[in-house]
Amino acid sequence: MTVLPFIQNLGFFGISQSLSKVNAPMAAAATNSINKDKLFLNLISTGDDEEVTGMCDSHPEGPLLRIGIYNDTVLHMASRFNRTQLVRELLKKLPKDCNHQLAGKANNAGSNMLHEVAAAGDAMKDVAEEMLRRDRELLFARNKLEERPIFCVARYGHTKMFKFLAGEMKLTERNPNDGDNKHFLQRNGETTVLHVTIFTEFFELAHFIAESYPYLIEERDQNSMSALQYLACNPNAFRKKKVAPRRGFMEELMVSPRSTVLDKLITSYKSSHEDKITTSNESQSKSYSLQGLVKLLIKNDTSWRASINSEEVNKTKETGIKEEEKISQENEGQYTRPNEGPNSREKNEQNSQKYEGSNYPKSFVVNNDYKKSDESPLFLATISNIQDIVDEILVCHPQALEYINKDGMNILHVAILYRHIEIFDTVAKSEMLAKGLLSAIDNKGNSLLHMVCLKRRSQASEKMQSPAFQLQKELLLFKKVKSVCKTHLTEPLNKDHQTAEELSAARNEKLHHDVKEWLMRTTENCTILSVFTATVAFAAAYTVPGGSDGSTVTPILHSKPFFLVFILADVISLTLALTSVGIFLSILTSSFQLQDFETYLFKKLRQGIICMILSVSMMAMAFGATIILITTWNRGNAVWSVAGFLPVPIFFLSYLIELVTCLTKSCISDCVI
């Protein structure tokens, strides 16, 4: 009886011992995972460096322990988050026999710890020097994007770190003609560090690279684009940084609680005043580097030397003309391709129906095979409206002015097509302008006047315009270009046998109709308001404030000074209201010819709106004079006197100035075209 419990207890003890042996590795693994999570949190936050180094000491792999889902080591993570002192301490913990393993310790992206240090910034330069002292192979190792650490430095624009790594690689001591330097400064043998710094807009580093390694200037990437071509496609880099205007008190009052309005205005004023110095210094440094980079790239550019008279270009030109003739024959049903099936014919019919409702001829539809690499930097800068590059190219290489692209267009064609009139004016007024540019035609027989009527190629930065101002702008541009080149036109018809005037009328037909409808709706609404104002002003003249004397029919308050103000304001309001009604009726009864939309109709509309708003303002002034007349004057009623005239400045300042300024700017800017 006493033996059985002993055996049972012994069996339970043995089972528990075996279970503890089985669970021991699982418990240890759980402890390690918990340590890794805690270590990860300490690395991504500003944790204690001693705690991190202590955790690494407790693990056999030490600083080379891999954590996170991307298989990063502790050195990777510490370098990525700019833990400079921690990285130094971790490097001291590395055994000497592990130094040669640093280059092989890459994460899932193939990046070693020097890639992370290079991307961290110039502050990690000493850390990079210590790593290279331990393993020089880090300097030449590539990640899965085929990027060396120096390429990562270029992407993030760290100039000091780039100079340090370039010195360690001894790039300046190598012979640039043997191709080794290009290999070290390229990714996949195509994209260079100069391309990357221009992508990321680190122009100070880009200027240093172009100046130190000029053989990279003419290198092209996988898209066959050079560094100057990419720079010519970035108009935002050349725009001056504008400080966002501060909201006024009334605007802040509309969108903010009343308790925070004054605080916001005060803080915004202080912050904007403090930021002016730093932003101006940064913008000046960036502008200086950008100007030097532009001059350096253009000086070494040779793309303008491609002659349109070469055999290769002529073959391309002839092939393009033949293809256009085939396309036009297909649209007319006169040409069928060999081995053409019913499916392809249906596609041709669909393509022809696709452009039937449009205002543009089928031959003017933009080609989808267009490549920016086919254009010269001069044309790309013209397309992007970068005046600085265009001016610099014309100064350094005046011969580039006569460059013609594969479509047979010169710089004037391109400037008109993309509506960059400033560049057109610069070239047209230039003393070195060849008169042949004004009479040139492209491969489709289009002159400069025809280019005004072509389908406008939209830009990402293009501002939205109302149809009315858009039509006015197109008409004024046509008039201006015609005045410049009318004596140089040799071919009035293009290959579709259309004159520029016929093409302009066909292209603007739908726009003309839309603007007509918009103008009629606007004029009708303004007429209603003007008639209402005139009615109120006419009624106010017979119901004067204070009434009239029954015997003499003389206004009782006629001796008060503000009675004269009331009479004058009411008369002026009635006069202006009736004048605006007459102007609006003249617009409604006009013939709405296309030429009238240049200036005539918009001037009439502006005059009518000004008279209408002034009429309403005078009516508000008459209301204010009435308030003062019917109240007795004392200090207590001074508030009512001010409140009586309050609608006048509110209405006048909030509506009239904004609207008239908008209309005037639009008309002035369009008249300048």
Side-chain angles (χ1 to χ4, degrees), residues 84-115:
T84 306
Q85 187 62 32
L86 177 59
V87 175
R88 291 195 184 100
E89 295 297 329
L90 292 176
L91 288 175
K92 293 178 182 179
K93 299 288 184 180
L94 279 177
K96 293 183 179 180
D97 56 349
C98 293
N99 288 337
H100 65 280
Q101 301 178 7
L102 295 180
K105 293 292 183 180
N107 57 16
N108 292 345
S111 300
N112 57 43
M113 52 276 301
L114 187 59
H115 284 91

PDB file of all heavy atoms in Angstrom, residues 84-115:
ATOM      1  N   THR A  84      24.771  57.445 -34.268  1.00  0.00           N
ATOM      2  CA  THR A  84      26.209  57.489 -34.545  1.00  0.00           C
ATOM      3  C   THR A  84      27.027  56.881 -33.407  1.00  0.00           C
ATOM      4  O   THR A  84      27.894  56.021 -33.625  1.00  0.00           O
ATOM      5  CB  THR A  84      26.645  58.943 -34.780  1.00  0.00           C
ATOM      6  OG1 THR A  84      25.820  59.517 -35.798  1.00  0.00           O
ATOM      7  CG2 THR A  84      28.093  59.009 -35.228  1.00  0.00           C
ATOM      8  N   GLN A  85      26.775  57.331 -32.179  1.00  0.00           N
ATOM      9  CA  GLN A  85      27.544  56.832 -31.042  1.00  0.00           C
ATOM     10  C   GLN A  85      27.306  55.344 -30.837  1.00  0.00           C
ATOM     11  O   GLN A  85      28.232  54.587 -30.499  1.00  0.00           O
ATOM     12  CB  GLN A  85      27.155  57.618 -29.784  1.00  0.00           C
ATOM     13  CG  GLN A  85      28.001  57.301 -28.566  1.00  0.00           C
ATOM     14  CD  GLN A  85      29.472  57.639 -28.764  1.00  0.00           C
ATOM     15  OE1 GLN A  85      29.817  58.586 -29.484  1.00  0.00           O
ATOM     16  NE2 GLN A  85      30.351  56.861 -28.142  1.00  0.00           N
ATOM     17  N   LEU A  86      26.084  54.900 -31.048  1.00  0.00           N
ATOM     18  CA  LEU A  86      25.773  53.482 -30.885  1.00  0.00           C
ATOM     19  C   LEU A  86      26.511  52.633 -31.910  1.00  0.00           C
ATOM     20  O   LEU A  86      27.010  51.544 -31.584  1.00  0.00           O
ATOM     21  CB  LEU A  86      24.261  53.276 -30.990  1.00  0.00           C
ATOM     22  CG  LEU A  86      23.769  51.833 -30.901  1.00  0.00           C
ATOM     23  CD1 LEU A  86      24.180  51.205 -29.573  1.00  0.00           C
ATOM     24  CD2 LEU A  86      22.252  51.769 -31.088  1.00  0.00           C
ATOM     25  N   VAL A  87      26.582  53.126 -33.167  1.00  0.00           N
ATOM     26  CA  VAL A  87      27.285  52.373 -34.204  1.00  0.00           C
ATOM     27  C   VAL A  87      28.761  52.241 -33.843  1.00  0.00           C
ATOM     28  O   VAL A  87      29.374  51.169 -34.032  1.00  0.00           O
ATOM     29  CB  VAL A  87      27.107  53.050 -35.579  1.00  0.00           C
ATOM     30  CG1 VAL A  87      27.935  52.337 -36.643  1.00  0.00           C
ATOM     31  CG2 VAL A  87      25.642  53.053 -35.981  1.00  0.00           C
ATOM     32  N   ARG A  88      29.359  53.286 -33.310  1.00  0.00           N
ATOM     33  CA  ARG A  88      30.768  53.215 -32.904  1.00  0.00           C
ATOM     34  C   ARG A  88      30.960  52.152 -31.807  1.00  0.00           C
ATOM     35  O   ARG A  88      31.916  51.369 -31.841  1.00  0.00           O
ATOM     36  CB  ARG A  88      31.240  54.578 -32.410  1.00  0.00           C
ATOM     37  CG  ARG A  88      31.346  55.647 -33.486  1.00  0.00           C
ATOM     38  CD  ARG A  88      32.164  56.823 -32.978  1.00  0.00           C
ATOM     39  NE  ARG A  88      32.208  57.906 -33.941  1.00  0.00           N
ATOM     40  CZ  ARG A  88      31.449  59.000 -33.874  1.00  0.00           C
ATOM     41  NH1 ARG A  88      30.585  59.130 -32.883  1.00  0.00           N
ATOM     42  NH2 ARG A  88      31.544  59.948 -34.784  1.00  0.00           N
ATOM     43  N   GLU A  89      30.054  52.149 -30.836  1.00  0.00           N
ATOM     44  CA  GLU A  89      30.165  51.167 -29.757  1.00  0.00           C
ATOM     45  C   GLU A  89      29.967  49.746 -30.275  1.00  0.00           C
ATOM     46  O   GLU A  89      30.657  48.810 -29.835  1.00  0.00           O
ATOM     47  CB  GLU A  89      29.129  51.478 -28.668  1.00  0.00           C
ATOM     48  CG  GLU A  89      29.355  52.798 -27.946  1.00  0.00           C
ATOM     49  CD  GLU A  89      30.668  52.813 -27.179  1.00  0.00           C
ATOM     50  OE1 GLU A  89      31.096  51.737 -26.706  1.00  0.00           O
ATOM     51  OE2 GLU A  89      31.277  53.903 -27.071  1.00  0.00           O
ATOM     52  N   LEU A  90      29.055  49.572 -31.203  1.00  0.00           N
ATOM     53  CA  LEU A  90      28.812  48.233 -31.753  1.00  0.00           C
ATOM     54  C   LEU A  90      30.003  47.751 -32.570  1.00  0.00           C
ATOM     55  O   LEU A  90      30.322  46.554 -32.568  1.00  0.00           O
ATOM     56  CB  LEU A  90      27.547  48.246 -32.608  1.00  0.00           C
ATOM     57  CG  LEU A  90      26.225  48.457 -31.866  1.00  0.00           C
ATOM     58  CD1 LEU A  90      25.068  48.556 -32.843  1.00  0.00           C
ATOM     59  CD2 LEU A  90      25.968  47.335 -30.867  1.00  0.00           C
ATOM     60  N   LEU A  91      30.639  48.654 -33.289  1.00  0.00           N
ATOM     61  CA  LEU A  91      31.817  48.254 -34.057  1.00  0.00           C
ATOM     62  C   LEU A  91      32.955  47.814 -33.140  1.00  0.00           C
ATOM     63  O   LEU A  91      33.740  46.918 -33.481  1.00  0.00           O
ATOM     64  CB  LEU A  91      32.274  49.414 -34.951  1.00  0.00           C
ATOM     65  CG  LEU A  91      31.385  49.721 -36.166  1.00  0.00           C
ATOM     66  CD1 LEU A  91      31.875  50.963 -36.887  1.00  0.00           C
ATOM     67  CD2 LEU A  91      31.342  48.539 -37.132  1.00  0.00           C
ATOM     68  N   LYS A  92      33.034  48.447 -31.965  1.00  0.00           N
ATOM     69  CA  LYS A  92      34.071  48.036 -31.019  1.00  0.00           C
ATOM     70  C   LYS A  92      33.801  46.642 -30.465  1.00  0.00           C
ATOM     71  O   LYS A  92      34.728  45.937 -30.058  1.00  0.00           O
ATOM     72  CB  LYS A  92      34.143  49.042 -29.870  1.00  0.00           C
ATOM     73  CG  LYS A  92      34.644  50.417 -30.279  1.00  0.00           C
ATOM     74  CD  LYS A  92      34.645  51.370 -29.085  1.00  0.00           C
ATOM     75  CE  LYS A  92      35.104  52.765 -29.509  1.00  0.00           C
ATOM     76  NZ  LYS A  92      35.083  53.707 -28.347  1.00  0.00           N
ATOM     77  N   LYS A  93      32.528  46.249 -30.430  1.00  0.00           N
ATOM     78  CA  LYS A  93      32.162  44.932 -29.916  1.00  0.00           C
ATOM     79  C   LYS A  93      32.452  43.821 -30.910  1.00  0.00           C
ATOM     80  O   LYS A  93      32.396  42.640 -30.545  1.00  0.00           O
ATOM     81  CB  LYS A  93      30.666  44.920 -29.566  1.00  0.00           C
ATOM     82  CG  LYS A  93      30.250  45.924 -28.495  1.00  0.00           C
ATOM     83  CD  LYS A  93      30.738  45.530 -27.125  1.00  0.00           C
ATOM     84  CE  LYS A  93      30.235  46.499 -26.066  1.00  0.00           C
ATOM     85  NZ  LYS A  93      30.718  46.119 -24.713  1.00  0.00           N
ATOM     86  N   LEU A  94      32.702  44.163 -32.171  1.00  0.00           N
ATOM     87  CA  LEU A  94      32.930  43.143 -33.192  1.00  0.00           C
ATOM     88  C   LEU A  94      34.301  42.497 -32.994  1.00  0.00           C
ATOM     89  O   LEU A  94      35.307  43.197 -32.851  1.00  0.00           O
ATOM     90  CB  LEU A  94      32.856  43.751 -34.589  1.00  0.00           C
ATOM     91  CG  LEU A  94      31.477  43.976 -35.198  1.00  0.00           C
ATOM     92  CD1 LEU A  94      31.624  44.652 -36.556  1.00  0.00           C
ATOM     93  CD2 LEU A  94      30.716  42.672 -35.343  1.00  0.00           C
ATOM     94  N   PRO A  95      34.356  41.175 -33.032  1.00  0.00           N
ATOM     95  CA  PRO A  95      35.664  40.510 -33.013  1.00  0.00           C
ATOM     96  C   PRO A  95      36.422  40.774 -34.308  1.00  0.00           C
ATOM     97  O   PRO A  95      35.830  41.072 -35.344  1.00  0.00           O
ATOM     98  CB  PRO A  95      35.311  39.021 -32.863  1.00  0.00           C
ATOM     99  CG  PRO A  95      33.887  38.988 -32.438  1.00  0.00           C
ATOM    100  CD  PRO A  95      33.245  40.232 -32.961  1.00  0.00           C
ATOM    101  N   LYS A  96      37.737  40.685 -34.256  1.00  0.00           N
ATOM    102  CA  LYS A  96      38.544  40.959 -35.445  1.00  0.00           C
ATOM    103  C   LYS A  96      38.284  39.955 -36.559  1.00  0.00           C
ATOM    104  O   LYS A  96      38.384  40.294 -37.735  1.00  0.00           O
ATOM    105  CB  LYS A  96      40.025  40.959 -35.078  1.00  0.00           C
ATOM    106  CG  LYS A  96      40.431  42.108 -34.167  1.00  0.00           C
ATOM    107  CD  LYS A  96      41.927  42.083 -33.908  1.00  0.00           C
ATOM    108  CE  LYS A  96      42.333  43.256 -33.017  1.00  0.00           C
ATOM    109  NZ  LYS A  96      43.791  43.262 -32.737  1.00  0.00           N
ATOM    110  N   ASP A  97      37.945  38.727 -36.196  1.00  0.00           N
ATOM    111  CA  ASP A  97      37.707  37.726 -37.234  1.00  0.00           C
ATOM    112  C   ASP A  97      36.386  37.944 -37.960  1.00  0.00           C
ATOM    113  O   ASP A  97      36.100  37.282 -38.953  1.00  0.00           O
ATOM    114  CB  ASP A  97      37.742  36.323 -36.634  1.00  0.00           C
ATOM    115  CG  ASP A  97      36.735  36.180 -35.502  1.00  0.00           C
ATOM    116  OD1 ASP A  97      36.182  37.212 -35.071  1.00  0.00           O
ATOM    117  OD2 ASP A  97      36.497  35.046 -35.048  1.00  0.00           O
ATOM    118  N   CYS A  98      35.553  38.869 -37.473  1.00  0.00           N
ATOM    119  CA  CYS A  98      34.275  39.188 -38.147  1.00  0.00           C
ATOM    120  C   CYS A  98      34.386  40.371 -39.089  1.00  0.00           C
ATOM    121  O   CYS A  98      33.406  40.705 -39.768  1.00  0.00           O
ATOM    122  CB  CYS A  98      33.192  39.464 -37.102  1.00  0.00           C
ATOM    123  SG  CYS A  98      32.725  38.027 -36.120  1.00  0.00           S
ATOM    124  N   ASN A  99      35.524  41.027 -39.140  1.00  0.00           N
ATOM    125  CA  ASN A  99      35.649  42.208 -39.996  1.00  0.00           C
ATOM    126  C   ASN A  99      35.459  41.871 -41.472  1.00  0.00           C
ATOM    127  O   ASN A  99      34.841  42.633 -42.221  1.00  0.00           O
ATOM    128  CB  ASN A  99      37.014  42.865 -39.785  1.00  0.00           C
ATOM    129  CG  ASN A  99      37.098  43.567 -38.441  1.00  0.00           C
ATOM    130  OD1 ASN A  99      36.080  43.929 -37.853  1.00  0.00           O
ATOM    131  ND2 ASN A  99      38.310  43.745 -37.936  1.00  0.00           N
ATOM    132  N   HIS A 100      35.982  40.730 -41.888  1.00  0.00           N
ATOM    133  CA  HIS A 100      35.869  40.369 -43.296  1.00  0.00           C
ATOM    134  C   HIS A 100      34.463  39.925 -43.668  1.00  0.00           C
ATOM    135  O   HIS A 100      34.164  39.703 -44.843  1.00  0.00           O
ATOM    136  CB  HIS A 100      36.863  39.243 -43.623  1.00  0.00           C
ATOM    137  CG  HIS A 100      36.558  37.959 -42.912  1.00  0.00           C
ATOM    138  ND1 HIS A 100      36.912  37.755 -41.594  1.00  0.00           N
ATOM    139  CD2 HIS A 100      35.939  36.827 -43.334  1.00  0.00           C
ATOM    140  CE1 HIS A 100      36.527  36.540 -41.223  1.00  0.00           C
ATOM    141  NE2 HIS A 100      35.933  35.957 -42.255  1.00  0.00           N
ATOM    142  N   GLN A 101      33.574  39.769 -42.689  1.00  0.00           N
ATOM    143  CA  GLN A 101      32.205  39.343 -42.949  1.00  0.00           C
ATOM    144  C   GLN A 101      31.245  40.516 -43.155  1.00  0.00           C
ATOM    145  O   GLN A 101      30.079  40.306 -43.468  1.00  0.00           O
ATOM    146  CB  GLN A 101      31.698  38.481 -41.792  1.00  0.00           C
ATOM    147  CG  GLN A 101      32.506  37.234 -41.532  1.00  0.00           C
ATOM    148  CD  GLN A 101      31.972  36.444 -40.350  1.00  0.00           C
ATOM    149  OE1 GLN A 101      30.922  36.766 -39.807  1.00  0.00           O
ATOM    150  NE2 GLN A 101      32.714  35.405 -39.948  1.00  0.00           N
ATOM    151  N   LEU A 102      31.707  41.737 -42.955  1.00  0.00           N
ATOM    152  CA  LEU A 102      30.800  42.889 -43.019  1.00  0.00           C
ATOM    153  C   LEU A 102      30.191  43.057 -44.403  1.00  0.00           C
ATOM    154  O   LEU A 102      28.998  43.356 -44.542  1.00  0.00           O
ATOM    155  CB  LEU A 102      31.545  44.162 -42.609  1.00  0.00           C
ATOM    156  CG  LEU A 102      32.022  44.231 -41.157  1.00  0.00           C
ATOM    157  CD1 LEU A 102      32.734  45.546 -40.897  1.00  0.00           C
ATOM    158  CD2 LEU A 102      30.858  44.054 -40.194  1.00  0.00           C
ATOM    159  N   ALA A 103      30.987  42.893 -45.443  1.00  0.00           N
ATOM    160  CA  ALA A 103      30.466  43.080 -46.803  1.00  0.00           C
ATOM    161  C   ALA A 103      29.435  42.023 -47.157  1.00  0.00           C
ATOM    162  O   ALA A 103      28.538  42.256 -47.973  1.00  0.00           O
ATOM    163  CB  ALA A 103      31.615  43.052 -47.810  1.00  0.00           C
ATOM    164  N   GLY A 104      29.536  40.850 -46.562  1.00  0.00           N
ATOM    165  CA  GLY A 104      28.590  39.787 -46.861  1.00  0.00           C
ATOM    166  C   GLY A 104      27.329  39.837 -46.037  1.00  0.00           C
ATOM    167  O   GLY A 104      26.382  39.088 -46.317  1.00  0.00           O
ATOM    168  N   LYS A 105      27.284  40.685 -45.040  1.00  0.00           N
ATOM    169  CA  LYS A 105      26.099  40.806 -44.202  1.00  0.00           C
ATOM    170  C   LYS A 105      25.134  41.815 -44.833  1.00  0.00           C
ATOM    171  O   LYS A 105      25.115  42.999 -44.500  1.00  0.00           O
ATOM    172  CB  LYS A 105      26.487  41.262 -42.794  1.00  0.00           C
ATOM    173  CG  LYS A 105      27.296  40.239 -42.004  1.00  0.00           C
ATOM    174  CD  LYS A 105      26.455  39.019 -41.650  1.00  0.00           C
ATOM    175  CE  LYS A 105      27.236  38.032 -40.814  1.00  0.00           C
ATOM    176  NZ  LYS A 105      26.423  36.843 -40.455  1.00  0.00           N
ATOM    177  N   ALA A 106      24.335  41.328 -45.766  1.00  0.00           N
ATOM    178  CA  ALA A 106      23.375  42.185 -46.477  1.00  0.00           C
ATOM    179  C   ALA A 106      21.959  41.814 -46.060  1.00  0.00           C
ATOM    180  O   ALA A 106      21.681  40.679 -45.652  1.00  0.00           O
ATOM    181  CB  ALA A 106      23.538  42.029 -47.984  1.00  0.00           C
ATOM    182  N   ASN A 107      21.049  42.771 -46.162  1.00  0.00           N
ATOM    183  CA  ASN A 107      19.653  42.514 -45.845  1.00  0.00           C
ATOM    184  C   ASN A 107      18.925  41.985 -47.077  1.00  0.00           C
ATOM    185  O   ASN A 107      19.549  41.642 -48.092  1.00  0.00           O
ATOM    186  CB  ASN A 107      18.990  43.784 -45.295  1.00  0.00           C
ATOM    187  CG  ASN A 107      19.100  44.952 -46.251  1.00  0.00           C
ATOM    188  OD1 ASN A 107      19.401  44.788 -47.432  1.00  0.00           O
ATOM    189  ND2 ASN A 107      18.867  46.149 -45.745  1.00  0.00           N
ATOM    190  N   ASN A 108      17.602  41.933 -47.009  1.00  0.00           N
ATOM    191  CA  ASN A 108      16.832  41.391 -48.127  1.00  0.00           C
ATOM    192  C   ASN A 108      16.969  42.221 -49.389  1.00  0.00           C
ATOM    193  O   ASN A 108      16.772  41.718 -50.497  1.00  0.00           O
ATOM    194  CB  ASN A 108      15.358  41.276 -47.738  1.00  0.00           C
ATOM    195  CG  ASN A 108      15.119  40.222 -46.674  1.00  0.00           C
ATOM    196  OD1 ASN A 108      15.997  39.390 -46.417  1.00  0.00           O
ATOM    197  ND2 ASN A 108      13.949  40.245 -46.045  1.00  0.00           N
ATOM    198  N   ALA A 109      17.266  43.520 -49.245  1.00  0.00           N
ATOM    199  CA  ALA A 109      17.460  44.390 -50.407  1.00  0.00           C
ATOM    200  C   ALA A 109      18.872  44.308 -50.955  1.00  0.00           C
ATOM    201  O   ALA A 109      19.185  44.974 -51.947  1.00  0.00           O
ATOM    202  CB  ALA A 109      17.137  45.837 -50.045  1.00  0.00           C
ATOM    203  N   GLY A 110      19.727  43.508 -50.326  1.00  0.00           N
ATOM    204  CA  GLY A 110      21.103  43.375 -50.783  1.00  0.00           C
ATOM    205  C   GLY A 110      22.019  44.471 -50.299  1.00  0.00           C
ATOM    206  O   GLY A 110      23.181  44.537 -50.718  1.00  0.00           O
ATOM    207  N   SER A 111      21.540  45.330 -49.411  1.00  0.00           N
ATOM    208  CA  SER A 111      22.347  46.459 -48.931  1.00  0.00           C
ATOM    209  C   SER A 111      23.128  46.053 -47.696  1.00  0.00           C
ATOM    210  O   SER A 111      22.575  45.432 -46.777  1.00  0.00           O
ATOM    211  CB  SER A 111      21.449  47.655 -48.602  1.00  0.00           C
ATOM    212  OG  SER A 111      20.731  48.080 -49.735  1.00  0.00           O
ATOM    213  N   ASN A 112      24.419  46.417 -47.669  1.00  0.00           N
ATOM    214  CA  ASN A 112      25.208  46.199 -46.471  1.00  0.00           C
ATOM    215  C   ASN A 112      25.118  47.433 -45.580  1.00  0.00           C
ATOM    216  O   ASN A 112      24.429  48.406 -45.904  1.00  0.00           O
ATOM    217  CB  ASN A 112      26.663  45.861 -46.825  1.00  0.00           C
ATOM    218  CG  ASN A 112      27.320  46.942 -47.679  1.00  0.00           C
ATOM    219  OD1 ASN A 112      27.153  48.134 -47.424  1.00  0.00           O
ATOM    220  ND2 ASN A 112      28.061  46.536 -48.702  1.00  0.00           N
ATOM    221  N   MET A 113      25.818  47.397 -44.447  1.00  0.00           N
ATOM    222  CA  MET A 113      25.688  48.509 -43.508  1.00  0.00           C
ATOM    223  C   MET A 113      26.288  49.813 -44.037  1.00  0.00           C
ATOM    224  O   MET A 113      25.858  50.897 -43.640  1.00  0.00           O
ATOM    225  CB  MET A 113      26.313  48.163 -42.158  1.00  0.00           C
ATOM    226  CG  MET A 113      27.733  47.649 -42.206  1.00  0.00           C
ATOM    227  SD  MET A 113      27.824  45.875 -42.552  1.00  0.00           S
ATOM    228  CE  MET A 113      26.904  45.140 -41.244  1.00  0.00           C
ATOM    229  N   LEU A 114      27.228  49.753 -44.988  1.00  0.00           N
ATOM    230  CA  LEU A 114      27.767  50.986 -45.553  1.00  0.00           C
ATOM    231  C   LEU A 114      26.731  51.666 -46.442  1.00  0.00           C
ATOM    232  O   LEU A 114      26.729  52.898 -46.555  1.00  0.00           O
ATOM    233  CB  LEU A 114      29.048  50.697 -46.351  1.00  0.00           C
ATOM    234  CG  LEU A 114      29.802  51.932 -46.862  1.00  0.00           C
ATOM    235  CD1 LEU A 114      30.203  52.829 -45.699  1.00  0.00           C
ATOM    236  CD2 LEU A 114      31.025  51.544 -47.681  1.00  0.00           C
ATOM    237  N   HIS A 115      25.864  50.899 -47.086  1.00  0.00           N
ATOM    238  CA  HIS A 115      24.751  51.510 -47.827  1.00  0.00           C
ATOM    239  C   HIS A 115      23.879  52.350 -46.891  1.00  0.00           C
ATOM    240  O   HIS A 115      23.462  53.463 -47.240  1.00  0.00           O
ATOM    241  CB  HIS A 115      23.891  50.429 -48.493  1.00  0.00           C
ATOM    242  CG  HIS A 115      24.496  49.820 -49.718  1.00  0.00           C
ATOM    243  ND1 HIS A 115      25.290  48.711 -49.672  1.00  0.00           N
ATOM    244  CD2 HIS A 115      24.425  50.165 -51.029  1.00  0.00           C
ATOM    245  CE1 HIS A 115      25.680  48.372 -50.888  1.00  0.00           C
ATOM    246  NE2 HIS A 115      25.165  49.253 -51.748  1.00  0.00           N
TER     247      HIS A 115
END
